[in-house]
Amino acid sequence: MNIAIIMLAGISCLPYYYKYEKRRPQTRESVVLAVMTTLTVISRTMFAPLPGFKPVTAMVILCGMAFGKESGFLCGSLSAFLSNFAFGQGPWTSFQMIAWGAIGWTAGVFNRRGWLECHKTGLTVCGLIAGIFFSMLMDVWTVLAAGEGFQWLRYVAVLATSVPVTIEYCISNVIFLWILTPILMKKLNRVKYKYGFYKIESLESDQ
């Protein structure tokens, strides 16, 4: 049962990769995505001494906000996979890939018209929800790792004990979003419009 759930978590990422490749992205688009993923991996490594206080989620959200939901998902999932070569690969990697990927995807959906980047309240809510979502999904892995399959009572207990860590996640997300959004979004939007990524996003939204 545990192995099946872990495999399902990993396989669930494949449709997003397939859709991205099927669209045949331009080389410059792939390069920008690679740069964003690299920066996200580096940001996680730099803050390694602070387990619950990292800019990874904020970087993934910014990628989704700037370049759309597909890029956001790919940046989040690939960042989890690549950075775990330093932090340690394992069954938990699949859950991290889904969690950060889903956060990047959601940021792309809600920022189609620039709503998130223009409203500090929206960034705050986004950071808080992302922190809670990440913690809740990773707690699923914690329960599975304990053995005997998934148990709701055990899951609720794990959620309760992880409240301090979840609060740290949420606070760090909000702080990094407040700091990084004014700095990076102008540069990312400049890249997006210079190389025509906004045209791709508009075509996707019309379909």
Side-chain angles (χ1 to χ4, degrees), residues 81-115:
F81 178 73
L82 294 174
S83 61
N84 275 0
F85 282 103
F87 288 89
Q89 296 285 0
W92 56 85
T93 301
S94 298
F95 290 87
Q96 291 174 327
M97 290 174 69
I98 291 177
W100 274 320
I103 289 170
W105 175 278
T106 305
V109 171
F110 282 96
N111 197 55
R112 268 185 181 167
R113 301 187 181 280
W115 184 80

Side-chain angles (χ1 to χ4, degrees), residues 22-99:
K22 187 178 179 181
R23 181 162 61 80
R24 296 181 180 179
Q26 301 177 31
T27 302
R28 59 195 180 193
E29 185 181 358
S30 298
V31 169
V32 171
L33 178 59
V35 171
M36 286 298 300
T37 302
T38 302
L39 291 175
T40 305
V41 171
I42 292 173
S43 71
R44 187 184 183 192
T45 306
M46 288 176 60
F47 283 81
L50 304 173
F53 198 87
K54 291 183 174 66
V56 180
T57 300
M59 291 292 292
V60 171
I61 290 173
L62 289 172
C63 184
M65 288 168 55
F67 302 112
K69 55 190 181 184
E70 287 183 7
S71 295
F73 183 91
L74 290 171
C75 178
S77 59
L78 289 174
S79 295
F81 178 73
L82 294 174
S83 61
N84 275 0
F85 282 103
F87 288 89
Q89 296 285 0
W92 56 85
T93 301
S94 298
F95 290 87
Q96 291 174 327
M97 290 174 69
I98 291 177

Side-chain angles (χ1 to χ4, degrees), residues 8-9 14 20 39 45 55 78 93 98 120-121 125 137 152 157 168 182 186 194 196 202:
L8 181 62
L14 296 180
Y20 182 79
L39 291 175
T45 306
L78 289 174
T93 301
I98 291 177
K120 210 167 187 177
T121 302
V125 173
L137 188 56
W152 279 105
E168 187 178 6
K186 289 183 180 179
K194 180 178 180 179
S202 65

Side-chain angles (χ1 to χ4, degrees), residues 83-173:
S83 61
N84 275 0
F85 282 103
F87 288 89
Q89 296 285 0
W92 56 85
T93 301
S94 298
F95 290 87
Q96 291 174 327
M97 290 174 69
I98 291 177
W100 274 320
I103 289 170
W105 175 278
T106 305
V109 171
F110 282 96
N111 197 55
R112 268 185 181 167
R113 301 187 181 280
W115 184 80
L116 283 178
E117 60 188 279
C118 296
H119 297 82
K120 210 167 187 177
T121 302
L123 285 176
T124 303
V125 173
C126 184
L128 293 175
I129 293 177
I132 294 171
F133 171 75
F134 184 86
S135 183
M136 291 181 68
L137 188 56
M138 293 309 299
D139 284 342
V140 172
W141 155 247
T142 302
V143 173
L144 294 176
E148 300 179 4
F150 183 83
Q151 299 179 16
W152 279 105
L153 289 178
R154 182 178 291 176
Y155 180 62
V156 173
V158 171
L159 286 177
T161 57
S162 65
V163 167
V165 179
T166 303
I167 293 175
E168 187 178 6
Y169 282 155
C170 294
I171 293 175
S172 68
N173 291 344

